[in-house]
Amino acid sequence: MKAYVVQNGNYLMTEVEEPEVGVNEVKVQLKTAGLNHRDLMIKHRAGNNDTYILGSDGAGVVVEAGENVTRFAIGDEVFINPGLNWYKKSEAPPADFEIVGVPFSGTFAERMVISEDFAERKPEHLTWDEAGVFALSGLTGYRALFTQGQLKETDTLFIPGVGGGVNSFIILLAKACGARVITTSRERDKLKAAEKLSYDKGILTDDSWTEQLSDETIDLVIESIGGKTFNKSLDVLKKGGRIVTYGSSTNDEMTFDLRKFFYGQYKMIGSTMGSREEMHELLQFSEKHRVKPIMDRQFAFSEIDQAFDYLASQNQLGKIVVNF
């Protein structure tokens, strides 16, 4: 079968052996798969001499089930939960936590095999395109926003960077909760285009955030940009407020004023992906509020190189999907 892999530090389409189904596993014929920034960075983490199938998000139809499978039957429509081996909500992932797509074989293949525990039924309110990009962004956003960030409907959320898939999802979830949401972009046109997310206020990345937000009380900041914006985000957070970080698209290392931090009684919390329990909470929340991921562009599987180039350009607003 065809698969898109990383091999010797290079991305390429190739033929691979079709996986066999274990007793507790299902084989899924993929209909759609979603791109994430993790896919861009994975070649720096993969072993040079091995071949790994990329892709963390996907949705399709069960075409084979192991003899001990009880949750699914052939023909069921499912999506992949990429957060493997993390069952219950906890302070941190278990030691054997793994993400689909290196080293565990990913969704950029015509078929994949996965434990029945980490497949979920496709929500009826989602199209195949939406289901194929739902899980990683949705789960990452849900845990950061509600489990770690403890967002309430009376809160004001500040989230720098409106364009990415996770941040777009976080804005949708926060607005569904009833919170006030403020975001940023490097480009005024992108802020305008992102009005479909129904955020309450948008400012430019290069603006003075303290001036622009002087009349706001920021209860929660969710940061994914890292060193370039972290201190600016901290400057607008109210005393005693919460800052959650789930990523770092710029500098991983930075300095900040520790004395100012402890005098301000700030709370900083890390977040990564989420548990199966949180995935089920996300499904209930999204079905209740009809939350759907914002879609940007779609590509055929044969055009996946162009999809990667487009993702790397950082011009997207929402999710990029691949159709098989």
Side-chain angles (χ1 to χ4, degrees), residues 116-133:
E116 67 168 333
D117 289 346
F118 293 95
E120 299 292 344
R121 296 191 183 277
K122 173 183 168 292
E124 291 184 0
H125 75 289
L126 298 183
T127 66
W128 278 113
D129 283 359
E130 292 162 346
V133 304

Side-chain angles (χ1 to χ4, degrees), residues 43-317:
K43 67 179 177 181
H44 303 299
R45 305 172 195 167
N48 285 336
N49 297 321
D50 296 311
T51 299
Y52 298 103
I53 299 175
L54 296 160
S56 300
D57 272 326
V61 177
V62 174
V63 293
E64 189 178 341
E67 60 181 302
N68 291 345
V69 169
T70 59
R71 295 182 65 221
F72 301 105
I74 293 173
D76 285 347
E77 299 178 348
V78 299
F79 71 90
I80 305 303
N81 175 0
L84 303 178
N85 306 321
W86 190 357
Y87 286 87
K88 294 295 185 180
K89 194 186 303 184
S90 56
E91 293 294 327
D96 60 348
F97 171 67
E98 219 179 314
I99 299 175
V100 169
V102 183
F104 188 92
S105 291
T107 57
F108 296 160
E110 293 173 310
R111 288 168 293 280
M112 72 174 298
V113 166
I114 193 165
S115 164
E116 67 168 333
D117 289 346
F118 293 95
E120 299 292 344
R121 296 191 183 277
K122 173 183 168 292
E124 291 184 0
H125 75 289
L126 298 183
T127 66
W128 278 113
D129 283 359
E130 292 162 346
V133 304
F134 176 84
L136 189 143
S137 293
L139 183 57
T140 300
Y142 184 89
R143 178 174 171 86
L145 191 62
F146 293 117
T147 304
Q148 304 295 71
Q150 295 292 299
L151 182 80
K152 303 182 294 295
E153 63 179 350
T154 55
D155 284 344
T156 294
L157 166 70
F158 179 60
I159 179 163
V162 73
V166 177
N167 281 4
S168 296
F169 221 117
I170 287 173
I171 294 171
L172 292 170
L173 293 170
K175 291 307 301 175
C177 174
R180 178 171 172 79
V181 178
I182 303 169
T183 190
T184 74
S185 176
R186 292 173 297 176
E187 302 170 7
R188 196 174 302 278
D189 288 347
K190 183 172 281 190
L191 279 177
K192 180 68 176 176
E195 288 178 356
K196 67 177 77 173
L197 297 170
S198 299
Y199 65 80
D200 296 280
K201 185 173 184 176
I203 61 177
L204 293 174
T205 303
D206 292 334
D207 283 346
S208 170
W209 294 358
T210 52
E211 290 181 11
Q212 293 288 327
L213 303 179
S214 60
D215 59 345
E216 300 281 354
T217 300
I218 309 296
D219 302 285
L220 171 65
V221 172
I222 294 187
E223 253 287 346
S224 62
I225 298 175
K228 188 174 181 180
T229 58
F230 184 88
N231 281 302
K232 291 177 68 175
S233 292
L234 200 57
D235 285 342
V236 301
L237 183 62
K238 75 174 187 181
K239 296 293 193 296
R242 311 173 306 279
I243 184 166
V244 174
T245 174
Y246 74 82
S248 177
S249 59
T250 58
N251 300 330
D252 286 352
E253 296 183 4
M254 60 180 183
T255 60
F256 67 95
D257 189 329
L258 186 59
R259 189 172 300 276
K260 179 181 176 182
F261 188 87
F262 64 69
Y263 271 121
Q265 307 287 298
Y266 300 110
K267 304 171 186 70
M268 183 166 66
I269 309 147
S271 191
T272 301
M273 289 286 289
S275 64
R276 184 179 182 225
E277 180 181 357
E278 286 158 311
M279 174 62 79
H280 292 166
E281 291 177 2
L282 166 65
L283 284 169
Q284 292 177 1
F285 185 93
S286 64
E287 288 170 348
K288 176 182 177 180
H289 296 282
R290 313 302 286 180
V291 176
K292 297 183 172 189
I294 294 293
M295 306 302 296
D296 186 293
R297 287 182 61 181
Q298 59 177 264
F299 295 83
F301 189 39
S302 60
E303 301 171 328
I304 196 168
D305 283 321
Q306 293 99 298
F308 268 67
D309 290 342
Y310 182 63
L311 179 65
S313 74
Q314 298 187 356
N315 289 323
Q316 82 277 7
L317 175 61

